[in-house]
Amino acid sequence: MRPSSRPANLGIDPARLMGRIEALGRIGALPGGGVSRLALSEADRQGRDCVAGWMRGLGLAVTVDRIGNVFGLRAGAEAGPPVVIGSHIDTVATGGLYDGALGVLAGLEVVNVLNDAAIRTRRPLAVAFFTNEEGARFAPDMMGSGVLSGHLGLAEALAAVGIDGATVGDELARIGYAGDAPVGAIAAHCYLELHIEQGPVLDAGGIAIGAVTGVQGICWTEYRFQGQTNHAGTTPMAMRHDAGYVAARVAVEARRLAGEIGGVQVATVGRLAVAPGLVNVVPGEALLTADLRNTDAATLAAADERLRAFAAQAAAAEGVGFEARPLARFAPVAFDPELVALVEETARGLGHSVRRMPSGAGHDAQMFAPHCPAAMIFVPSRGGISHNVTEHTDPAQLSAGAEVLLRVALEKAGVV
Ligand code: HGY
Ligand code: MN
Ligand code: MN
């Protein structure tokens, strides 16, 4: 589909975009750089207030739904489902300035450009941020967009208990974002998300834009092992029920299994804890989280099953009890081919190098994909680093992505 004519001299304001990114980055800023705005934390509340304030300042009608998703709506000449531009503003505890924030703030930049040029779109536009995309404090990830899309029940989400023992419902109320708008009140005509790649592909290839074809499958599981605390000196090895030893074996197996499967298979043990965690006590308790991902659903399911079987066998051999609790299960998702092509053509039309690619990271966009045309625009991550305080993308690269977003959004919303 060729992009039709549209106001030629429109352009984003790179300094204004960077100004908002840096201003939001000061909320939850970590000493020495980076950001921590864990979902529904005080920093997340401040970030939400800041972005909702910018939305209102741009004349957007702000609504908050019952899982705390925030939409800023810009009326079009016609009523009907809006073109939604979204992402998230919560971060992991070792976050950077751009993961999530770029997509939301580039959406505000699009609105700013349209307001400045007094351009009215045919369809309404909405800029949105969704609750708990990261899943770092409360599993699963993509929680707010997952409830919106029906992937997760509202009650189940509100009851989710975080790694610190708090519940989503209590925390949402505490920060003042337990909205009263029904979930799903705003149905998207289509969904666009600008995001940093968070991987090495674009940066290594010197490519400016990624036209994202889809998102790989995600499988998070929490393993808990119950052994027997005992004396480190007096307990013969054959008499031990060492929960920590079993957890360590499972962690090593996860890594080995990923290597054996090969291809795009990845495995991460992000949380590994033993109790009581004392030098002279055989651990009686252990907890481990396994994050497995693959673009192929069957391979991913097989990997999950094999790791779970290994854990059961290792626990039995050590006389240790174990339970496995699913934390997140997302099937691989394909984005709308026409929209992906539009992203690719638009990038090329702006003179940017572009390539099609799957996303290794999960995103809110994947929750929209089954319900409306959805697509993502990637910009490079320096060294492929993300979920790390040194996460970086050059301002010119950020602006290039925002420019593509502006033109694709205009193409989908139409100009009157
Ligand atoms: O885990 C992810 O892929 C995303 O950052 N929530
Ligand atoms: Mn993200
Ligand atoms: Mn992230």
Side-chain angles (χ1 to χ4, degrees), residues 87-88 99-100 133-134 193 195 198 361-363 387:
S87 198
H88 60 96
D99 179 358
E133 186 279 342
E134 290 293 0
E193 183 165 357
H195 204 288
Q198 302 183 284
H363 298 287
H387 284 189

Side-chain angles (χ1 to χ4, degrees), residues 53-314:
W54 282 332
M55 287 178 169
R56 293 187 179 94
L58 287 167
L60 299 181
V62 176
T63 59
V64 182
D65 73 16
R66 295 187 56 199
I67 192 62
N69 296 321
V70 178
F71 287 83
L73 192 62
R74 185 178 195 265
E78 298 170 6
V83 171
V84 177
I85 298 171
S87 198
H88 60 96
I89 61 171
D90 66 302
T91 73
V92 294
T94 55
L97 288 182
Y98 312 103
D99 179 358
L102 171 63
V104 178
L105 301 182
L108 293 186
E109 178 55 25
V110 167
V111 169
N112 221 141
V113 169
L114 299 182
N115 287 357
D116 293 351
I119 287 180
R120 206 158 181 227
T121 53
R122 187 161 54 79
R123 297 183 191 285
L125 265 183
V127 179
F129 58 84
F130 305 102
T131 294
N132 185 32
E133 186 279 342
E134 290 293 0
R137 183 185 178 197
F138 303 99
D141 53 345
M142 285 78 76
M143 181 178 275
S145 52
V147 172
L148 194 61
S149 65
H151 178 84
L152 182 65
L154 174 62
E156 185 183 351
L158 293 172
V161 178
I163 57 175
D164 52 10
T167 67
V168 166
D170 289 349
E171 287 294 274
L172 212 45
R174 185 182 64 78
I175 66 168
Y177 279 89
D180 46 23
V183 173
I186 294 183
H189 168 70
C190 66
Y191 178 85
L192 302 171
E193 183 165 357
L194 170 62
H195 204 288
I196 52 172
E197 178 201 334
Q198 302 183 284
V201 173
L202 295 178
D203 184 49
I207 297 169
I209 299 290
V212 189
T213 52
V215 181
Q216 67 177 340
I218 301 174
C219 180
W220 288 2
T221 304
E222 177 190 83
Y223 289 89
R224 286 184 182 273
F225 300 99
Q226 298 82 30
Q228 181 187 51
T229 56
N230 216 328
H231 194 295
T234 59
T235 312
M237 296 314 285
M239 279 180 59
R240 293 178 182 222
H241 305 292
D242 184 338
Y245 166 64
V246 175
R249 286 193 65 198
V250 174
V252 170
E253 175 60 12
R255 180 68 178 244
R256 190 207 63 77
L257 187 58
E260 179 197 309
I261 295 169
V264 297
Q265 181 65 46
V266 288
T268 309
V269 173
R271 294 184 73 207
L272 182 55
V274 297
L278 302 172
V279 61
N280 57 354
V281 180
V282 175
E285 307 280 334
L287 171 142
L288 169 147
T289 58
D291 175 331
L292 306 178
R293 306 198 194 193
N294 198 301
T295 51
D296 179 79
T299 307
L300 180 57
D304 174 47
E305 195 35 55
R306 287 181 63 184
L307 188 64
R308 185 189 294 252
F310 179 91
Q313 175 272 327

